[in-house]
Amino acid sequence: MDFFADVLLPLPVKGTFTYRLPPTTKVAVGSRVLVPFGRKKIYTGIVVMVHGVQPTGYEVKEILATLDENPIVRHPQLKLWQWIADYYLCSQGEVFKAAVPSGLKVESETEISVNPDFEESEPGLLSDRERVVLDFTAQRGRLRVDEITRATGFKAVEGIVSRLLDKEAIMIAERVVDNYRPKTVTMVTLSIERHDEEGLHRLFDEVRRAKKQEQLLLAYLDASRWLQRSHELMEVSKEQLLERSGLTAPVLAAARQKGIFTLYKKEVNRFAHGRLNLEAPPALTAEQDVALRDIYTSFKEHEITLLHGVTSSGKTSIYMHLIADVLAKGKQALYLVPEIALTTQLTRRLRAVFGDRMLIYHSKFSDNERVDIWKKLLAGSDPCLVIGVRSSVFLPYGNLGLVIVDEEHDTSYKQQDPAPRYNGRNVATVLAAMHGAKTLLGSATPAIETYHNALTGRYGLVTLTKRYEGIELPTVEVIDTLKARKKWEMDGLFSEQLVSECRKALANGEQVILFQNRRGFAPMVRCKECGWVPTCENCDVSLTYHKRGNALTCHYCGHTITLPTTCPQCGLPGIEVLGYGTERIEDNIESKFPGEKISRMDLDTTRSKAAYDRIIDEFSSRKTRILVGTQMVTKGLDFDGVSVVGILNADTMIRFPDFRSSERAFNMMEQVAGRAGRAHKRGKVLLQTSEPSHPVIKHVVAHDYLAFYHEEIEERQRYGYPPFTRVIHIYLRHRQDDVVNEMAVRFSNLLRQVFGNRVLGPEAPMVARVQNMYIRQIVLKMELQASMPKVKRILRDRYEQMLSLDGRMRTVRVHYDVDPV
């Protein structure tokens, strides 16, 4: 009897694909297989079902190879992937692609090589560029298309390759690529069996006249416990042996040549740090202890509990006690944070308490490191703590007991592009429920939806109203920038009052944080003579100036050009920069506070894992005294030397056409304010704005989250926004503006036939063209009780109906963003 496997592929396509199992081949659900797809491609798939039912109507291809003896995903993961696909209106293959590290997804790479039988039958058969590509390929043997592009500098190399294929000058070959490389260590052992006494004497005779080799042999016997027969033989690495003996590699090489030692490679875990002298979780204050007991009480009645604690109230200490309790019960814990910067700062505190039971997982790790963590969790269900960003929800947990989502309000938990466009906080609560675990959400400024769920009884609610050791919340002083400019008290983006307070803090040996939610040197460049503004050739946005590279860059597609010295439109040297990004602020501060060490934390300065560590370590140790940053500096970072925080321009946050703009502005300002005065001294926040009477500003000044919440929830209810409805954004993209506009109008009309006035739009979004694709947005407002799988089916049916009505719809890219932030 033939057997077949339904295989999930990491592709944006509906459903699974059925392949025939080769005779005698056995696979398990959750294991990887290598399968052909289409005419040329090879993909790694995950087996989701094995059965004996042969599909009809097409030829069933055979699985090329099995990659695992045991599954690499667990059953709860497959269930979670299906839930994400249903709720966030994407394919399960897209979830698979996002969830599994690239090192576990073996794929084929298209390579080209010269056809040895090709002859240029007539002069001029090949163009100059085709001949360059052909000659270059002949020299190198086999090449990928991207390698040819880099080497030749030609644009649209794919077209040249296509023409060469048509002329049969080149051939295409598929090479299977496995990106994962395990970490290995060179181990040393003796070339004899442990019980071979005569052999050991013979080895000593060999090294009798080579004292260093004899010393090396003695060091090995000691380190491995070779002669202590009552003890298990210890493995000894090359590094350990040389360090223990105080000798060098050439001595070991000479002994190996004599047949004394044998060397072999051993795969090891990248994250073993060795046992530490572990500490107990920090002692709790009376209020923290009450909060901890209230959390345990809440967990008896609620699967999810919100810990609403003001900034610097010691929520992390409470988390550590909860984690210690879960590990003591033999279970696993997941600690989610919104930014990699937070994992950097928390690592030392958590490592001191949990040692090697703590694992870190985020995108700045290499793919090999992420595969190692995946394999470690897959190997067993030992108690451990995983700390990481949103992608940590995809790891193969075997015995999850607790999920903590710190700074749960943060928009960084939402994946924007590509699909799945999931919210890590919401997925974490579903993950916990599937494992029968409890979820704790923590924040000083909870998301409106979260706090609403807590007040209505869906979640438990525990509050911490006082800062650790009774430190008062910082005072917030509002600086009216319009009045200050009229009095000539503004220098660029800096008021005299802000500069004065910063000088006082620095003179007292304290630190300063300056917050501006724009990176780059200046958000805009223009010609003061003719008004010309450089815009992106691919997107409908102006380019941002970055001084360090003297470049104008698009923050949507990455397109970069050099800053011109003269205006390309009028030819005059009238180029000027307008506005302030973090890079320009850093430059200005250097002139205002000469000699002070300054750090900048934004996307441009934190491209690598090491960059996060360096910036945070230098500021924590007070090697730098001024930190300039974007929203990265608002997210739970703990610096005890900061006494002054400057919010340089609150207007850019509160003037935004979106129903969440007030919530985002309040959260961001309140969070960055919370960085001030965290150790034995009340801090000060200077908030610069041209709208000091704005309601959000007043709530930030009073640190009054409840007043802000009640005002915001009343407005949400009045206009039918979350948490009273569920919002879905539908985006359509096409290279032609008129096509996407027509398709969007017709598609929205089809949707109105089912959903009625729940459909709004279509409209062009604020940025209506990105990467040469014109965009239209349709908004769908659904009742909370609506079934998302049913909504997905309706949307798919209407999309297929649209395809049947107009074939141009096939060229339109459509994607859905559920619960946008």
Side-chain angles (χ1 to χ4, degrees):
M1 177 180 174
D2 288 340
F3 285 95
F4 302 87
D6 291 345
V7 177
L8 179 66
L9 299 179
L11 299 171
V13 289
K14 179 184 173 183
T16 58
F17 296 84
T18 303
Y19 290 86
R20 187 187 305 275
L21 282 172
T24 72
T25 298
K26 292 183 179 179
V27 294
V29 171
S31 60
R32 295 177 301 160
V33 290
L34 210 57
V35 296
F37 188 76
R39 294 178 60 191
K40 293 284 185 180
K41 287 290 183 182
I42 298 168
Y43 285 101
T44 296
I46 299 288
V47 175
V48 295
M49 184 183 291
V50 178
H51 56 83
V53 181
Q54 180 170 353
T56 57
Y58 62 91
E59 182 186 353
V60 182
K61 295 180 180 179
E62 193 169 89
I63 287 172
L64 299 177
T66 56
L67 300 178
D68 307 296
E69 292 183 7
N70 299 307
I72 64 118
V73 296
R74 299 177 188 268
H75 178 65
Q77 285 176 280
L78 294 174
K79 273 181 63 182
L80 183 68
W81 293 2
Q82 186 61 61
W83 180 87
I84 293 171
D86 287 342
Y87 186 83
Y88 290 103
L89 307 181
C90 62
S91 72
Q92 202 172 347
E94 289 171 304
V95 184
F96 167 27
K97 186 175 178 66
V100 177
S102 297
L104 293 175
K105 297 193 293 281
V106 179
E107 295 184 2
S108 63
E109 280 186 351
T110 300
E111 292 184 326
I112 66 168
S113 59
V114 173
N115 181 357
D117 298 326
F118 173 71
E119 292 182 6
E120 196 168 353
S121 55
E122 57 186 74
L125 177 66
L126 300 180
S127 69
D128 291 342
R129 291 198 166 198
E130 289 168 357
R131 188 169 282 105
V132 169
V133 170
L134 190 66
D135 291 345
F136 185 64
T137 306
Q139 292 170 16
R140 299 288 295 274
R142 280 189 174 189
L143 283 173
R144 296 195 312 273
V145 173
D146 62 324
E147 292 174 325
I148 297 171
T149 302
R150 285 198 300 270
T152 62
F154 294 163
K155 290 185 177 180
V157 167
E158 293 84 356
I160 299 172
V161 169
S162 178
R163 291 193 294 275
L164 288 170
L165 277 170
D166 291 341
K167 296 170 184 177
E168 299 184 349
I170 59 173
M171 304 182 298
I172 277 187
E174 293 293 328
R175 177 172 65 90
V176 175
V177 179
D178 186 350
N179 293 316
Y180 174 62
R181 296 293 179 270
K183 182 178 180 181
T184 58
V185 172
T186 301
M187 308 300 290
V188 181
T189 186
L190 290 186
S191 57
I192 59 171
E193 297 294 329
R194 191 179 188 185
H195 54 76
D196 187 355
E197 294 290 343
E198 289 186 11
L200 185 60
H201 287 296
R202 188 174 64 255
L203 295 184
F204 271 108
D205 289 339
E206 287 284 338
V207 298
R208 192 178 304 280
R209 295 187 179 183
K211 293 301 179 185
K212 288 185 177 180
Q213 294 176 31
E214 185 179 44
Q215 185 180 335
L216 197 67
L217 178 55
L218 290 168
Y220 173 82
L221 294 174
D222 184 37
S224 65
R225 299 180 177 178
W226 184 280
L227 300 176
Q228 301 171 40
R229 300 297 165 83
S230 58
H231 290 83
E232 184 181 349
L233 188 66
M234 302 286 289
E235 287 188 293
V236 180
S237 71
K238 176 182 174 182
E239 185 181 2
Q240 286 175 316
L241 180 59
L242 295 179
E243 184 180 344
R244 192 180 191 106
S245 64
L247 298 170
T248 59
V251 179
L252 176 60
R256 182 189 180 194
Q257 198 168 5
K258 288 182 178 178
I260 308 296
F261 294 107
T262 299
L263 273 57
Y264 63 97
K265 296 283 186 181
K266 179 185 177 184
E267 186 176 332
V268 297
N269 187 287
R270 285 178 166 85
F271 301 97
H273 293 269
R275 298 299 298 172
L276 302 174
N277 295 319
L278 300 182
E279 303 170 5
L284 300 180
T285 64
E287 188 177 32
Q288 288 172 335
D289 191 54
V290 169
L292 180 63
R293 282 187 272 117
D294 287 347
I295 290 169
Y296 281 120
T297 302
S298 177
F299 278 164
K300 293 176 182 176
E301 299 179 7
H302 299 93
E303 299 300 313
I304 304 168
T305 293
L306 169 65
L307 174 59
H308 180 205
V310 297
T311 56
S312 197
S313 56
K315 294 187 288 293
T316 306
S317 297
I318 294 173
Y319 299 157
M320 291 165 80
H321 280 265
L322 289 165
I323 293 164
D325 186 39
V326 166
L327 298 187
K329 293 175 180 175
K331 292 182 176 288
Q332 298 167 333
L334 169 61
Y335 186 160
L336 280 182
V337 293
E339 285 279 358
I340 297 167
L342 280 179
T343 67
T344 299
Q345 195 174 50
L346 283 168
T347 296
R348 289 193 189 91
R349 290 182 67 184
L350 296 172
R351 181 80 67 195
V353 175
F354 302 111
D356 284 345
R357 293 183 296 174
M358 186 187 83
L359 301 171
I360 309 166
Y361 191 82
H362 56 64
S363 60
K364 295 294 184 191
F365 278 178
S366 71
D367 201 61
N368 286 334
E369 289 173 316
R370 279 178 280 169
V371 171
D372 275 353
I373 292 176
W374 188 284
K375 287 186 170 184
K376 182 176 174 65
L377 285 171
L378 199 63
S381 302
D382 296 338
C384 66
L385 162 66
V386 175
I387 177 171
V389 292
R390 60 175 182 255
S391 57
S392 305
V393 298
F394 294 123
L395 287 167
Y397 302 99
N399 191 16
L400 197 59
L402 174 69
V403 173
I404 295 170
V405 185
D406 196 17
E407 309 295 345
E408 63 81 29
H409 65 276
D410 202 284
T411 56
S412 296
Y413 282 121
K414 184 72 160 73
Q415 163 76 8
Q416 300 296 341
D417 278 308
R421 295 169 180 85
Y422 67 100
N423 189 308
R425 173 197 63 205
N426 298 344
V427 173
T429 63
V430 175
L431 171 72
M434 287 180 173
H435 283 266
K438 301 294 185 182
T439 302
L440 181 67
L441 308 176
S443 178
T445 55
I448 296 296
E449 290 94 326
T450 301
Y451 204 71
H452 178 74
N453 285 336
L455 291 185
T456 54
R458 186 179 173 193
Y459 296 170
L461 176 62
V462 177
T463 58
L464 267 173
T465 58
K466 293 180 182 177
R467 280 185 146 194
Y468 184 69
E469 295 186 345
I471 302 297
E472 291 184 88
L473 287 165
T475 58
V476 180
E477 296 182 16
V478 179
I479 299 168
D480 187 335
T481 53
L482 290 180
K483 287 183 179 179
R485 288 191 193 284
K486 288 178 182 177
K487 295 179 180 179
W488 300 94
E489 293 176 352
M490 293 290 292
D491 180 6
L493 210 56
F494 294 88
S495 64
E496 288 182 2
Q497 185 180 348
L498 175 60
V499 173
S500 174
E501 292 293 344
C502 290
R503 283 208 174 100
K504 287 179 190 175
L506 296 171
N508 291 332
E510 296 160 349
Q511 292 172 292
V512 172
I513 289 178
L514 297 174
F515 169 64
Q516 171 73 342
N517 205 29
R518 284 183 183 273
R519 65 187 174 99
F521 187 83
M524 187 175 170
V525 171
R526 77 173 178 194
C527 173
K528 60 186 175 185
E529 304 295 340
C530 69
W532 171 80
V533 174
T535 56
C536 178
E537 65 179 32
N538 307 315
C539 312
D540 285 343
V541 292
S542 58
L543 299 176
T544 300
Y545 176 51
H546 291 255
K547 186 178 179 182
R548 296 292 157 90
N550 193 38
L552 295 166
T553 300
C554 174
H555 288 173
Y556 284 82
C557 72
H559 172 68
T560 300
I561 62 172
T562 303
L563 179 71
T565 53
T566 58
C567 174
Q569 184 164 290
C570 69
L572 296 174
I575 300 295
E576 63 177 352
V577 294
L578 302 171
Y580 289 81
T582 49
E583 189 182 7
R584 189 174 190 182
I585 290 164
E586 183 185 23
D587 264 18
N588 286 12
I589 292 170
E590 288 174 350
S591 63
K592 295 183 185 302
F593 305 104
E596 289 292 350
K597 188 79 168 30
I598 302 163
S599 286
R600 174 162 57 97
M601 183 184 285
D602 57 27
L603 188 63
D604 298 319
T605 62
T606 55
R607 300 281 182 187
S608 68
K609 182 173 61 175
Y612 277 103
D613 295 347
R614 178 182 54 78
I615 293 169
I616 290 171
D617 286 348
E618 287 182 355
F619 198 66
S620 295
S621 61
R622 306 200 189 189
K623 291 179 182 177
T624 55
R625 301 218 292 156
I626 301 175
L627 178 63
V628 181
T630 57
Q631 60 179 348
M632 288 182 181
V633 302
T634 71
K635 301 180 180 183
L637 295 170
D638 191 357
F639 302 117
D640 59 15
V642 175
S643 63
V644 171
V645 167
I647 299 173
L648 298 179
N649 188 0
D651 300 346
T652 57
M653 291 178 275
I654 56 181
R655 292 177 183 166
F656 202 82
D658 180 73
F659 79 91
R660 293 190 193 274
S661 60
S662 292
E663 180 184 5
R664 276 197 301 266
F666 178 84
N667 289 353
M668 211 174 289
M669 287 189 278
E670 184 65 17
Q671 288 287 337
V672 76
R675 303 315 109 205
R678 298 173 70 85
H680 313 296
K681 182 181 177 180
R682 190 177 193 185
K684 183 177 285 189
V685 178
L686 287 304
L687 192 160
Q688 297 186 159
T689 177
S690 63
E691 297 186 53
S693 60
H694 195 286
V696 171
I697 302 292
K698 290 183 175 181
H699 295 316
V700 172
V701 170
H703 299 294
D704 195 343
Y705 173 81
L706 286 178
F708 167 75
Y709 167 79
H710 288 300
E711 187 175 285
E712 185 71 9
I713 201 74
E714 186 180 317
E715 191 166 312
R716 298 272 187 100
Q717 188 166 22
R718 187 184 309 132
Y719 295 106
Y721 280 106
F724 303 102
T725 58
R726 175 171 289 121
V727 171
I728 302 168
H729 286 174
I730 306 169
Y731 291 97
L732 294 87
R733 299 169 188 257
H734 195 273
R735 292 194 177 275
Q736 292 176 256
D737 192 30
D738 57 340
V739 171
V740 74
N741 190 58
E742 182 185 347
M743 294 299 103
V745 169
R746 295 178 66 180
F747 190 46
S748 62
N749 289 336
L750 281 177
L751 294 177
R752 282 191 181 90
Q753 294 175 8
V754 181
F755 296 115
N757 61 5
R758 300 179 185 89
V759 180
L760 306 176
E763 299 285 345
M766 283 183 64
V767 180
R769 182 174 65 104
V770 174
Q771 295 180 343
N772 283 321
M773 303 290 281
Y774 291 91
I775 307 169
R776 292 295 182 273
Q777 176 184 315
I778 301 169
V779 177
L780 188 58
K781 278 187 180 180
M782 297 301 302
E783 295 83 356
L784 295 178
Q785 60 270 28
S787 163
M788 291 305 287
K790 187 176 180 181
V791 170
K792 185 178 182 179
R793 283 196 300 274
I794 295 170
L795 288 171
R796 186 185 298 122
D797 290 345
R798 291 302 175 189
Y799 175 73
E800 289 174 356
Q801 183 181 348
M802 187 71 199
L803 288 177
S804 66
L805 293 172
D806 193 330
R808 290 178 299 167
M809 191 66 179
R810 293 186 186 281
T811 64
V812 178
R813 295 183 190 173
V814 180
H815 78 254
Y816 307 95
D817 188 4
V818 180
D819 302 336
V821 297

